[in-house]
């Protein structure tokens, strides 16, 4: 793992701090669907994504899920090590959306380097505040925007990620991403299909009118 690609501040760390990172990083291979961190887990540590894709989400007591964001190669997840920041507790879960390779920096190591390096401490705080700002923006979207707009935006995001007009995804999975019921997603997708915006088949959604989806998402 080339940690310099994940940490812009890598050149500013001391040789001892770099060595601490390199020697403490724990490598994991995750199969698709693996839950690597959940709300009931202990403080895991800093996650660095080498390959694949991770999904960070929250769950309700009724079993509904809402995706907060995804992590791609060279991304960092600090929420799994939120305990290193005073008074920060987050009930999140992290799963692999695709076969993934990750490296985990134990929270004890992160905490030690934070206590010794103001540069590293400031950098992690920036990541944390940036993620929280995006989560707050997501909550505003969920509360105030209609489902048509949110679903159109989600399909466009999947289109950009997969670089394909045909998406292999179930209505249940979309509902889990969006924090709503599968029946609501199905009803909205059928409305999109009647307008010739998408074409539905078992386990697949083909985007047939990208321009119209863009209009709906704006």
């Amino acid at each position: 793992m080339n940690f310099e690609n994940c940490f812009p501040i890598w050149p500013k760390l001391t040789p001892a701090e770099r060595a601490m990172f390199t020697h403490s990083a724990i490598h994991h291979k995750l199969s698709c669907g693996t839950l690597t961190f959940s709300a009931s887990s202990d403080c895991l540590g800093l996650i660095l994504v080498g390959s694949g894709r991770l999904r960070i989400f929250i769950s309700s007591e009724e079993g509904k899920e809402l995706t907060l964001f995804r992590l791609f190669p060279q991304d960092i997840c600090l929420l799994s090590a939120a305990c290193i920041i005073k008074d920060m507790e987050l009930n999140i879960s992290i799963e692999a959306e695709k076969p993934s390779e990750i490296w985990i920096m134990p929270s004890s190591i992160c905490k030690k380097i934070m206590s010794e390096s103001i540069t590293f401490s400031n950098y992690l705080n920036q990541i944390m505040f940036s993620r929280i700002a995006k989560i707050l923006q997501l909550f505003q979207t969920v509360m105030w925007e209609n489902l048509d707009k949110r679903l159109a935006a989600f399909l466009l995001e999947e289109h950009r990620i997969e670089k394909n007009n045909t998406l292999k995804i179930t209505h249940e999975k979309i509902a889990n991403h969006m924090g709503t019921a599968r029946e609501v997603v199905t009803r909205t997708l059928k409305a999109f299909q009647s307008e010739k915006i998408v074409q539905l088949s078992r386990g697949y959604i083909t985007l047939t009118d990208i321009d119209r989806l863009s209009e709906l998402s704006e």
Side-chain angles (χ1 to χ4, degrees), residues 32-89:
C32 184
T34 300
L35 189 68
T36 187
F37 180 81
S38 65
S40 60
S41 302
D42 293 330
C43 190
L44 182 65
L46 193 72
I47 294 178
L48 299 95
V49 182
S51 63
R53 186 167 77 226
L54 302 184
R55 170 185 174 237
I56 288 74
F57 65 98
I58 55 175
S59 304
S60 70
E61 292 182 358
E62 295 78 23
K64 281 187 178 180
E65 298 177 2
L66 175 65
T67 298
L68 301 179
F69 55 87
R70 276 108 155 232
L71 295 175
F72 300 90
Q74 299 184 6
D75 277 346
I76 294 171
C77 182
L78 183 55
L79 298 184
S80 53
C83 61
I84 67 177
I85 299 178
K86 187 178 179 181
D87 298 326
M88 179 69 73
E89 292 186 12

Side-chain angles (χ1 to χ4, degrees), residues 106-118:
S107 54
S108 58
I109 299 298
C110 293
K111 197 167 187 176
K112 178 175 174 57
I113 298 179
M114 283 183 73
S115 67
E116 297 175 355
S117 170
I118 188 66

